[in-house]
Amino acid sequence: MFDSPRISWMALGLVLTGLAAAKEPFKPNLGPDLPRITVTCGDVTLLLRQATQWTPGRIDFRGKAMTTESSAYGTVFSFPDVGFIGTAHLENEPEKLQSLDFFLDDKRVEAPAAELKGDTFRLERKSRIRAFELINVTEIKDHRLHETTTVHTAEAVPLKLVYHFMHAWRPTVSAFLAGNDAMPENTISGPLRDDKEVARKFYINQPVDWMAVYEPQSGQFAVSRLLQAPELGGHIATIWNVPGTYRKFYLKCFEGKTVPAGFTGTWRMVTAFGSATPETWEAQARTLASALKNER
């Protein structure tokens, strides 16, 4: 009888301890014991987060955020039997990191600090997601962000889809533009609004060579160009409009398809930035998209 209050307090303590433990951020099996690393090279700043397996967490240009932290970046696979696995999608099972290497100005950083600054940066990240071997290389050079993803599997794997180069553009992004080199005048464009009738709508939804977005608060725009992709699996660009959260870009591949045994494929994308008024940004984005064809 007299022990009941003590037992109740003990039970409450266990519950609170459990809740505190549940809020502990995820820590991957490899990497520095830091919650986040911020890398600045020239005009581009890249946030890397431990809780999302050392994938990008935010992209800034000239000190202003172009993307939001409230999302997953990088590459994620969706399997018919389980759903998403990869990057910040930890709801099913985490991907296992196999190696993680940081390079600043072409020199390997043995113990990364919370802030890194230099002329160039490269992160080489190798992991395994079920039957897939995944290599992600993220680079900042010449004020541009380069991303390379290589996927290999020894066995055939059915997929719902795979997303590469996820970029969670800020919810304040107000417009998009996309095009193909074969028909440079036939661009796809439109506003990105918060209206109820366009909430959670997908835009573009077809293969394009490049796409761009405009962020009016900073007066800045971004252009992403696909530099390389395998013939197999297809790839379509899409922007998911989620008002108040993000205008999120995906490169979607292998939708409802099986990745064949022995497949190895590499996708490469470069993202560059600029400043412009709402009236001039589309013309400047087209010019930058053309210039990026020569990017290596």
Side-chain angles (χ1 to χ4, degrees):
M1 178 178 176
F2 292 102
D3 288 339
S4 297
R6 183 172 65 85
I7 293 172
S8 297
W9 280 110
M10 287 176 63
L12 178 60
L14 289 172
V15 169
L16 292 174
T17 301
L19 289 172
K23 292 181 180 178
E24 283 290 317
F26 170 80
K27 291 187 178 181
N29 59 299
L30 287 180
D33 190 17
L34 293 169
R36 46 208 282 148
I37 294 173
T38 301
V39 185
T40 299
C41 297
D43 290 335
V44 176
T45 297
L46 181 67
L47 171 67
L48 302 167
R49 297 179 297 187
Q50 183 185 55
T52 55
Q53 306 266 54
W54 299 113
T55 54
R58 197 186 69 240
I59 305 166
D60 299 353
F61 181 64
R62 294 177 179 166
K64 297 178 181 178
M66 293 295 289
T67 66
T68 175
E69 292 185 39
S70 303
S71 190
Y73 291 71
T75 291
V76 63
F77 297 87
S78 181
F79 297 89
D81 62 329
V82 67
F84 287 113
I85 303 176
T87 185
H89 283 279
L90 306 169
E91 63 270 24
N92 296 307
E93 60 188 70
E95 63 183 298
K96 283 284 187 180
L97 297 181
Q98 296 181 319
S99 66
L100 197 67
D101 295 293
F102 298 80
F103 297 87
L104 192 66
D105 295 332
D106 294 323
K107 295 179 181 178
R108 192 174 187 276
V109 181
E110 299 294 340
E115 291 190 17
L116 299 174
K117 290 185 178 181
D119 294 325
T120 64
F121 172 77
R122 186 171 79 257
L123 171 62
E124 297 178 0
R125 177 183 179 278
K126 297 180 182 178
S127 65
R128 188 169 189 88
I129 299 177
R130 295 198 165 185
F132 291 110
E133 296 173 7
L134 180 64
I135 300 175
N136 296 112
V137 179
T138 305
E139 299 176 272
I140 310 173
K141 56 185 180 181
D142 300 325
H143 311 285
R144 294 169 180 177
L145 178 67
H146 291 253
E147 298 166 278
T148 303
T149 297
T150 299
V151 172
H152 171 74
T153 179
E155 60 187 75
V157 184
L159 286 179
K160 285 185 177 179
L161 53 83
V162 57
Y163 288 139
H164 296 307
F165 310 129
M166 296 185 290
H167 294 166
W169 302 111
R170 290 184 63 196
T172 49
V173 160
S174 60
F176 74 94
L177 177 68
N180 286 293
D181 296 336
M183 297 178 290
E185 300 305 316
N186 294 345
T187 53
I188 308 162
S189 64
L192 293 168
R193 305 190 309 270
D194 294 341
D195 301 346
K196 190 173 182 179
E197 62 267 23
V198 293
R200 308 184 78 82
K201 180 179 178 178
F202 288 88
Y203 293 85
I204 305 178
N205 304 317
Q206 60 182 279
V208 294
D209 292 310
W210 60 270
M211 63 77 59
V213 293
Y214 183 69
E215 203 291 302
Q217 291 186 359
S218 63
Q220 298 180 158
F221 64 91
V223 178
S224 295
R225 171 174 279 277
L226 188 63
L227 299 174
Q228 179 181 346
E231 292 184 9
L232 196 62
H235 55 268
I236 67 168
T238 187
I239 296 176
W240 192 25
N241 181 38
V242 184
T245 303
Y246 48 55
R247 323 286 197 192
K248 189 166 184 178
F249 171 79
Y250 306 85
L251 186 72
K252 183 164 59 173
C253 312
F254 286 103
E255 185 174 13
K257 297 179 181 178
T258 294
V259 183
F263 173 81
T264 298
T266 296
W267 293 260
R268 292 175 55 231
M269 177 167 281
V270 60
T271 300
F273 305 88
S275 299
T277 65
E279 294 76 24
T280 63
W281 87 270
E282 287 196 11
Q284 292 191 46
R286 287 189 180 93
T287 299
L288 182 53
S290 180
L292 291 176
K293 285 192 289 187
N294 301 317
E295 198 73 11
R296 295 291 180 264

